[in-house]
Amino acid sequence: MAKHTTHLVWDWNGTLLDDIHAVIAATNASFAEIGHEPITLERYRELYCVPIPLFYERLMNRAPTAAEWQILDASFHRHYTEQRVNCALTEGVEELLTQWALAGSSQSLLSMYGHDELVPVVRGYGIEPHFVRVDGRTGPSGGSKALHMERHLTALAATGSISPLRTVVIGDAVDDAVAAAHVGARAVLYTGGSNSRASLEAVGVPVVDSLAEAVEMARSLGD
């Protein structure tokens, strides 16, 4: 691989994995446990943000108590795990990953999904060999992606062939663009996941409706 060719950092949930409906189902199941009414996909996308406790505050019109947060966090992950088994990769993912690799460029995967859960799940979908690195969250849930991205890019830069300045992050949330900016990378945001188009466009980075468009945009940004 040529030094400093464009590197892609892919997000997982809501980007490579088409799981937004599983996320909504798990969110509503967890909120039901504290007596909160269900929300729609549109409402979720309108209000979604990180850290997650702030998102829950937006949904509840008040901050969750420490006890409520523990219930919501544990319940969400339990219900999501049950729902995730029915989720497929986003349309065209296998071909996009294959073609990017065949073109001689590198790609990695960075997610706020727990690392120990993420790796076997990605492996199960058969796409792990496409990535030079797969990193999931190793600390408590509910945080921001920026520091996680910093560690990811630092590890990649240590190989001597990947530069943050020639890296493009493809994700579905505002936080993906924030994390990219934190390390000096660029971002392309996809509308099929957790944030509304209006929320994504407010960040000021390219917004697309398909991952094929995201890859084309990433290629042009890296030129």
Side-chain angles (χ1 to χ4, degrees):
M1 184 182 68
K3 189 173 184 179
H4 298 325
T5 56
T6 301
H7 175 80
L8 295 184
V9 176
W10 291 94
D11 172 59
W12 177 240
N13 302 103
T15 303
L16 291 178
L17 185 65
D18 184 14
D19 67 347
I20 187 61
H21 293 288
V23 169
I24 297 297
T27 299
N28 283 332
S30 63
F31 269 90
E33 294 192 17
I34 63 168
H36 194 278
E37 62 187 20
I39 63 167
T40 63
L41 172 59
E42 291 72 24
R43 183 69 170 162
Y44 183 99
R45 284 175 164 164
E46 177 187 353
L47 297 179
Y48 180 78
C49 67
V50 295
I52 298 300
L54 178 58
F55 173 49
Y56 287 169
E57 181 175 346
R58 289 182 172 187
L59 291 175
M60 300 170 68
N61 293 314
R62 64 172 177 82
T65 66
E68 286 174 330
W69 164 249
Q70 293 298 324
I71 293 171
L72 290 169
D73 189 46
S75 177
F76 172 83
H77 286 97
R78 183 175 69 255
H79 288 290
Y80 174 79
T81 299
E82 295 171 355
Q83 295 283 334
R84 183 197 52 75
V85 296
N86 297 316
C87 296
L89 296 174
T90 300
E91 183 179 358
V93 160
E94 296 97 328
E95 180 69 13
L96 290 171
L97 296 178
T98 298
Q99 291 304 317
W100 188 262
L102 287 175
S105 296
S106 61
Q107 51 200 329
S108 59
L109 193 160
L110 180 68
S111 175
M112 295 301 285
Y113 195 45
H115 184 77
D116 291 341
E117 294 81 21
L118 175 69
V119 172
V121 168
V122 173
R123 187 172 297 143
Y125 282 99
I127 59 174
E128 184 187 21
H130 292 297
F131 306 115
V132 295
R133 188 176 182 91
V134 175
D135 281 330
R137 172 183 49 79
T138 55
S141 61
S144 173
K145 204 171 192 175
L147 293 179
H148 194 30
M149 182 71 72
E150 184 178 326
R151 290 189 292 269
H152 185 70
L153 264 294
T154 297
L156 290 171
T159 67
S161 60
I162 295 170
S163 164
L165 296 178
R166 295 301 303 274
T167 293
V168 179
V169 176
I170 298 179
D172 68 309
V174 168
D175 195 44
D176 291 304
V178 172
H182 178 74
V183 297
R186 301 190 184 190
V188 178
L189 298 179
Y190 163 61
T191 60
S194 57
N195 270 140
S196 67
R197 172 175 274 277
S199 297
L200 299 178
E201 289 178 339
V203 184
V205 303
V207 176
V208 297
D209 295 320
S210 73
L211 293 186
E213 293 175 271
V215 170
E216 284 305 309
M217 181 62 68
R219 185 176 287 112
S220 67
L221 290 174
D223 288 341

